[in-house]
Amino acid sequence: MTRVLLLNPNTSADMTVRMLAAAEAVAAPGTVVVPLTAPRGVPYIATRAEAQIGGAVALEMLAQHHGAVDAAVVAAFGDPGLLGAREMFDIPVVGMAEAAMLAACMLGRRFALVTFARALGPWFEDCVAMHGLSGRCAGIRMLDGPVRRVGAVAEDSEDLLIDLARRAVEEDEADVVILAGAPLAGLARRVAGRIAVPVVDPISAALKMAEALVALQPRKATAGTFRRPSPKASTGLPDALADRIAHRDQP
Amino acid sequence: MTRVLLLNPNTSADMTVRMLAAAEAVAAPGTVVVPLTAPRGVPYIATRAEAQIGGAVALEMLAQHHGAVDAAVVAAFGDPGLLGAREMFDIPVVGMAEAAMLAACMLGRRFALVTFARALGPWFEDCVAMHGLSGRCAGIRMLDGPVRRVGAVAEDSEDLLIDLARRAVEEDEADVVILAGAPLAGLARRVAGRIAVPVVDPISAALKMAEALVALQPRKATAGTFRRPSPKASTGLPDALADRIAHRDQP
Amino acid sequence: MTRVLLLNPNTSADMTVRMLAAAEAVAAPGTVVVPLTAPRGVPYIATRAEAQIGGAVALEMLAQHHGAVDAAVVAAFGDPGLLGAREMFDIPVVGMAEAAMLAACMLGRRFALVTFARALGPWFEDCVAMHGLSGRCAGIRMLDGPVRRVGAVAEDSEDLLIDLARRAVEEDEADVVILAGAPLAGLARRVAGRIAVPVVDPISAALKMAEALVALQPRKATAGTFRRPSPKASTGLPDALADRIAHRDQP
Amino acid sequence: MTRVLLLNPNTSADMTVRMLAAAEAVAAPGTVVVPLTAPRGVPYIATRAEAQIGGAVALEMLAQHHGAVDAAVVAAFGDPGLLGAREMFDIPVVGMAEAAMLAACMLGRRFALVTFARALGPWFEDCVAMHGLSGRCAGIRMLDGPVRRVGAVAEDSEDLLIDLARRAVEEDEADVVILAGAPLAGLARRVAGRIAVPVVDPISAALKMAEALVALQPRKATAGTFRRPSPKASTGLPDALADRIAHRDQP
Amino acid sequence: MTRVLLLNPNTSADMTVRMLAAAEAVAAPGTVVVPLTAPRGVPYIATRAEAQIGGAVALEMLAQHHGAVDAAVVAAFGDPGLLGAREMFDIPVVGMAEAAMLAACMLGRRFALVTFARALGPWFEDCVAMHGLSGRCAGIRMLDGPVRRVGAVAEDSEDLLIDLARRAVEEDEADVVILAGAPLAGLARRVAGRIAVPVVDPISAALKMAEALVALQPRKATAGTFRRPSPKASTGLPDALADRIAHRDQP
Amino acid sequence: MTRVLLLNPNTSADMTVRMLAAAEAVAAPGTVVVPLTAPRGVPYIATRAEAQIGGAVALEMLAQHHGAVDAAVVAAFGDPGLLGAREMFDIPVVGMAEAAMLAACMLGRRFALVTFARALGPWFEDCVAMHGLSGRCAGIRMLDGPVRRVGAVAEDSEDLLIDLARRAVEEDEADVVILAGAPLAGLARRVAGRIAVPVVDPISAALKMAEALVALQPRKATAGTFRRPSPKASTGLPDALADRIAHRDQP
């Protein structure tokens, strides 16, 4: 049995539920998806500052739960805390944005990100660059205007999002469309028939990538830039995180 | 049941056997790996010219067999014919180099390619660039000297290859090592304990990526740069390929 | 006397004729242009898959004819098989796209490609990237809509193509326009007066570059990534190509 | 009078003292440097994970103190939390690494980073890339071996650091050397005569850049990707930070 | 007291006056700005050819005056002669474009250049690339149409320039706007309230950067690519320049 | 008859003689090479500052002589004044470095520059970047130590230069070697047999490229970034240059 932690660094439990359903829909037999919602932070991370905070919370969450799973997915498009988590913990950790983009790379030359709020653009663009994939990105398309109900934006704005996807294909020469952002989890499957190129659901992609990494059984680096940092004292951090930093969590 | 074609564009059947074993070792329950060896071409593709020829042969092979499988893996590091195949056929097609590099991206910042012959370097470097991943590549390390038995190089040169991997980690700052080339299939698992960073086995990675894509059920593009080319007449090509080009293969 | 092979990897003899005329119009005294049309393949290469096949055919053609000429031009914009040919044969081999772009580099900072069919865009873009010239390319402009008569598109769509060129200059800041694609051979000369920047005719540029290389008398590499591949057995390839691969063609 | 916050996201007060001295040594008349040490976190940030945590702490610190100063310097090479801070607060915020690199750009074509521990390399390299300055960076040189006393490494290893700087100039073609890391604050001035190119002290550069920005009086963006995020509820965050996120800090 | 040479490589004395006012408005107490107008050349450098000539004139001017100042600013956006000056003279030399772009980097992710004449675009774009900052540049926006009075274009076209700035923010996602070109000196301060992102005045930024460098006291390189060239004879050059080239200017 | 101006922006007439011989050795029947040596400047341009001055002198020389030739070659590796000349004059102008690099691009994937003095490295590297060809450059190899007789360095240091070329091939993976610098003109032909990859003689390449451009008959741009600048007054410039700038040279 493979246990994959679906780590939602947002405090919205309803998004965790939505993502859990999309992940379970593609899980292999024998995979158990373990949902976890952030105990502190903001309801929906949407900017660089919120990602800085949410990424630190993700590390706290992993410090508490990493021992009980085989792999983890950071379930927020933008991948807050991903690289730090990959460095600090021994299990494979996959970012939702990362997984979606890498899957898209196998389906075409350039992917477009389509998302529901203009505020997300800069953070997502930084994320594409962080992964070294700017050359594979055809652009980012965002809905204009305020989002009334983040949790229901996939339903409220389905037609508008499909229209953005179409423009990404026709005007930006995207070969693949990624429907980006936790509130859009599961939408790809529903609208695939209405978009002329492959559409990637990030949380589904992340779950499959986590399964793939578990099957490949990569060892934890003890050299290179993702080896675990040396033990260190700390002040004022949550116990589990302080213990992980101090290497007190190892018998 | 998921059927994945392991398409070896080399004419060496023993390499197909070796890769089949490595792929089956990581296959999910329900996945059937279908091996296929090139009926014409060279025993082992190692240069740009041979990849040009072998890639065309790969298209001929897919034209004959694509209808019987859910996905295909181009099982030669360097991915001959991959982009043309992705364009021309409706099933997901994954390259062995591509899959290894994308898996490596989820395990560190930069990967190194380690391979067994100096001749392979330029072709592999072109392949990294073709996938837009040069920024994620720490370098290519190759054994010097002639290869006596290509089919047994993994066994004959195991220690030398491990030494190259170590230098890639220490001198090139690689976070991940990819053991590149069909004759090295399966070696990663055996030597993982002797290399201080995660080691990726390309054919294993490719099989898992193919499974992941099948699970994600991407549609065939009808727009963008990977839509199927319009029907066209041709001269002197093998029947199955000519039929695919002419769209005569669709009822 | 300098003999330059005009190798058309398309099966359309009328395109060979058209390109021959454009090449001869700029040939130096003493240069003989030797035309050759592909014996198998598609009438007009327009996609990645067709270029994969056509490039392999180009190698077959060169294997038969390289001994009788001083240099060769791969006469299809997109340069199918070019790098393999440069590796495998001893004479200078020039790509039509490559030559046009390099000539354009000496006439301004950024060139635009103007061509007659949307299908060609992705293949041409890959070609620009393969030559490392994306930073010098202002964009690719393509006619919309179906092409009724490929062989007469230069005449049928002259005004539309000029309009695309103008937009490339005004909107994309192109300093030079390349009229790309075999069916447009010779058009540059006719329309130069109607476009406000230098216009490059690819086959003319390729012929002059081939002449230049012959005059510079470069030796065939015996080291580096374009040395001739080591001799190798093969299966099922045309005799001349198999002989070249096996080094049986050298007395 | 210009008040510049010297925000040390490390918990080591002695580093704050050291940096304060280096900053005050170059401050213009009328500039007051206000030191502040992190109340929680690790003594010395050295990895991606620690930067994720330390960057979040930096935002907490700024939320409490930004109202009392004209500008702030994030006083850890690597710039933890910088972009989030620039987004969330109205005053200019300058990173110590950023300022050092931009100053170096005005003194030569390529700068080298010289630092005291191998662990810092990957984080610093990510930082160079984040600022889009990889093309201006000649390389990163790091002392090998364990650091006994981080707070005294500038004194303990002065000769070794100078030797690294010399090799950066001679072997990596660096035009400028940046002595990177809080524990090296002030060292540049002392060793300048022993290195053949300009040497930049990051905290000094950051102080001068902060003064420059205050003099230029840039407005806070209300559009673009660094406008302040919209107000939002949060859970479990320190009061000052929660108030800033909720826009409760504005009368 | 710090003396900064404001070296205008244009022959228009009224532009020197305008820039002097903008520089003095931000100068620290104790800074003296020394104005100098080119004795030969063109009234307003606007193209590559004019920059080639004006840059050589800038070197002649510096050869005469460098001994009397602590730093110099090349006061033409495009930085004619900057790198040569940095190589040849011992004092810090700052470019007006360079300083503006580096200041902008600390205020956002991407800056836009807004200027008053289409002719300036290519030269400015080359300048951005020369500094390795293309990845931080959102684009260049230029007024269309002829400029009647270059010296008064800031006043004549204020509204049009603000409109360009707004489009740069809204359409090009610029986080910062640089009002580029000597005739726009001082405009930023006047229009800051009408543009939604920070606006940078290049000559003000250059003056502050020059002050910062003087405070940092960088040594003149005696190694690396900006060491002073070896002494050399010359023919037909102005005396001061010939003396500097021959190292005859050193007692 | 085609007349090509060999414009040497150095004041050394013996270098003009040397380059003339190398150019004439490859000239087509009917091509006349017209030599011209700089009347003012330095004997041998070797740094950025000298290139700034020499490039301005090149414009003065072209202003006097462009009317009498069909094309011009800027005969100094580093291409001083090239882009300005291309902008200001109606005839094709080719740079010696540019031509060598573009010819090299047709002979392999990456070229190395081999030259005779360390001082030339930075200027040459800037030149490669200016042409957007950094991705095609394997590196720059320079002789160490002082050059006793610049005019005889090709003979004095032949073996050392060949050794550098060999290291460029073996260690830097260069496919082509460019022997860079006017004093090396003609050397390529003599040593070709001793270097395992094609060797390019820059002045020979430039002459052939100039001939090619003349044959292609490109029009002078009246739009784009290389259109001739608008007429303008000037002060203190040589008559011919002032007339060209003022458009007084056109009847």
Short mmCIF file of all heavy atoms in Angstrom, two decimals, chain F residues 132-153:
data_model
loop_
_atom_site.label_atom_id
_atom_site.label_comp_id
_atom_site.label_asym_id
_atom_site.label_seq_id
_atom_site.Cartn_x
_atom_site.Cartn_y
_atom_site.Cartn_z
N GLY F 132 24.57 37.60 -30.28
CA GLY F 132 23.59 36.60 -29.84
C GLY F 132 24.05 35.18 -30.05
O GLY F 132 23.25 34.26 -30.17
N LEU F 133 25.38 34.96 -30.08
CA LEU F 133 25.91 33.64 -30.40
C LEU F 133 26.61 32.97 -29.21
O LEU F 133 27.33 31.98 -29.41
CB LEU F 133 26.86 33.74 -31.60
CG LEU F 133 26.18 34.14 -32.91
CD1 LEU F 133 27.21 34.45 -33.99
CD2 LEU F 133 25.25 33.04 -33.40
N SER F 134 26.38 33.46 -28.01
CA SER F 134 27.03 32.86 -26.84
C SER F 134 26.73 31.37 -26.73
O SER F 134 27.58 30.58 -26.32
CB SER F 134 26.60 33.58 -25.56
OG SER F 134 26.90 34.95 -25.66
N GLY F 135 25.52 30.98 -27.09
CA GLY F 135 25.16 29.57 -27.00
C GLY F 135 25.89 28.68 -28.00
O GLY F 135 25.91 27.46 -27.86
N ARG F 136 26.49 29.27 -29.00
CA ARG F 136 27.24 28.51 -29.99
C ARG F 136 28.75 28.56 -29.71
O ARG F 136 29.53 27.99 -30.47
CB ARG F 136 26.97 29.06 -31.42
CG ARG F 136 25.52 29.01 -31.89
CD ARG F 136 24.96 27.62 -32.11
NE ARG F 136 25.58 26.86 -33.15
CZ ARG F 136 25.10 26.72 -34.40
NH1 ARG F 136 23.98 27.32 -34.74
NH2 ARG F 136 25.72 25.97 -35.28
N CYS F 137 29.17 29.27 -28.69
CA CYS F 137 30.59 29.45 -28.41
C CYS F 137 31.06 28.51 -27.30
O CYS F 137 30.53 28.53 -26.20
CB CYS F 137 30.85 30.91 -28.01
SG CYS F 137 32.59 31.26 -27.66
N ALA F 138 32.04 27.68 -27.61
CA ALA F 138 32.56 26.72 -26.63
C ALA F 138 33.55 27.36 -25.67
O ALA F 138 33.87 26.78 -24.64
CB ALA F 138 33.24 25.55 -27.36
N GLY F 139 34.04 28.53 -25.99
CA GLY F 139 35.00 29.19 -25.11
C GLY F 139 36.02 29.99 -25.89
O GLY F 139 36.06 29.96 -27.12
N ILE F 140 36.81 30.73 -25.16
CA ILE F 140 37.86 31.57 -25.74
C ILE F 140 39.18 31.13 -25.12
O ILE F 140 39.30 31.08 -23.90
CB ILE F 140 37.61 33.06 -25.45
CG1 ILE F 140 36.21 33.46 -25.97
CG2 ILE F 140 38.68 33.93 -26.08
CD1 ILE F 140 35.84 34.91 -25.70
N ARG F 141 40.11 30.78 -25.95
CA ARG F 141 41.43 30.37 -25.47
C ARG F 141 42.45 31.42 -25.89
O ARG F 141 42.49 31.83 -27.06
CB ARG F 141 41.82 29.01 -26.09
CG ARG F 141 40.98 27.85 -25.61
CD ARG F 141 41.65 27.17 -24.43
NE ARG F 141 40.83 26.08 -23.90
CZ ARG F 141 41.23 25.32 -22.89
NH1 ARG F 141 42.42 25.51 -22.33
NH2 ARG F 141 40.46 24.36 -22.43
N MET F 142 43.29 31.85 -24.95
CA MET F 142 44.23 32.94 -25.21
C MET F 142 45.63 32.53 -24.80
O MET F 142 45.79 31.88 -23.76
CB MET F 142 43.81 34.17 -24.41
CG MET F 142 42.42 34.66 -24.76
SD MET F 142 41.64 35.58 -23.38
CE MET F 142 41.05 34.18 -22.37
N LEU F 143 46.61 32.94 -25.54
CA LEU F 143 47.99 32.76 -25.11
C LEU F 143 48.23 33.57 -23.84
O LEU F 143 47.72 34.70 -23.71
CB LEU F 143 48.96 33.25 -26.19
CG LEU F 143 49.09 32.41 -27.46
CD1 LEU F 143 50.19 33.00 -28.35
CD2 LEU F 143 49.41 30.95 -27.14
N ASP F 144 49.00 33.01 -22.93
CA ASP F 144 49.44 33.78 -21.78
C ASP F 144 50.72 34.52 -22.14
O ASP F 144 51.36 34.23 -23.14
CB ASP F 144 49.73 32.84 -20.60
CG ASP F 144 48.47 32.51 -19.84
OD1 ASP F 144 47.65 33.41 -19.65
OD2 ASP F 144 48.31 31.33 -19.47
N GLY F 145 51.08 35.44 -21.31
CA GLY F 145 52.36 36.09 -21.47
C GLY F 145 52.31 37.24 -22.45
O GLY F 145 51.37 37.38 -23.23
N PRO F 146 53.33 38.09 -22.42
CA PRO F 146 53.37 39.27 -23.28
C PRO F 146 53.62 38.89 -24.74
O PRO F 146 54.22 37.86 -25.03
CB PRO F 146 54.55 40.07 -22.72
CG PRO F 146 55.43 39.05 -22.08
CD PRO F 146 54.54 37.94 -21.61
N VAL F 147 53.14 39.72 -25.64
CA VAL F 147 53.36 39.53 -27.07
C VAL F 147 54.49 40.45 -27.48
O VAL F 147 54.36 41.67 -27.40
CB VAL F 147 52.09 39.85 -27.87
CG1 VAL F 147 52.34 39.69 -29.36
CG2 VAL F 147 50.95 38.96 -27.41
N ARG F 148 55.60 39.89 -27.92
CA ARG F 148 56.72 40.74 -28.27
C ARG F 148 56.46 41.50 -29.56
O ARG F 148 56.55 42.72 -29.63
CB ARG F 148 58.01 39.92 -28.38
CG ARG F 148 58.68 39.66 -27.01
CD ARG F 148 59.96 38.90 -27.22
NE ARG F 148 59.68 37.75 -28.06
CZ ARG F 148 60.28 37.50 -29.23
NH1 ARG F 148 61.20 38.34 -29.69
NH2 ARG F 148 59.97 36.43 -29.95
N ARG F 149 56.08 40.75 -30.59
CA ARG F 149 55.88 41.40 -31.89
C ARG F 149 54.49 41.04 -32.40
O ARG F 149 54.28 39.96 -32.94
CB ARG F 149 56.91 40.90 -32.89
CG ARG F 149 58.38 41.04 -32.40
CD ARG F 149 59.33 40.57 -33.50
NE ARG F 149 59.05 39.20 -33.90
CZ ARG F 149 59.48 38.63 -35.02
NH1 ARG F 149 60.22 39.35 -35.87
NH2 ARG F 149 59.20 37.39 -35.32
N VAL F 150 53.52 41.95 -32.20
CA VAL F 150 52.14 41.63 -32.60
C VAL F 150 52.09 41.23 -34.07
O VAL F 150 51.43 40.26 -34.45
CB VAL F 150 51.20 42.84 -32.34
CG1 VAL F 150 49.84 42.60 -32.98
CG2 VAL F 150 51.04 43.06 -30.85
N GLY F 151 52.83 41.93 -34.89
CA GLY F 151 52.77 41.67 -36.33
C GLY F 151 53.33 40.32 -36.73
O GLY F 151 53.06 39.85 -37.84
N ALA F 152 54.08 39.68 -35.84
CA ALA F 152 54.69 38.40 -36.20
C ALA F 152 54.25 37.28 -35.27
O ALA F 152 54.82 36.20 -35.27
CB ALA F 152 56.21 38.53 -36.16
N VAL F 153 53.17 37.53 -34.50
CA VAL F 153 52.77 36.56 -33.49
C VAL F 153 52.32 35.24 -34.13
O VAL F 153 52.48 34.16 -33.54
CB VAL F 153 51.69 37.16 -32.55
CG1 VAL F 153 50.37 37.32 -33.28
CG2 VAL F 153 51.53 36.31 -31.30
#
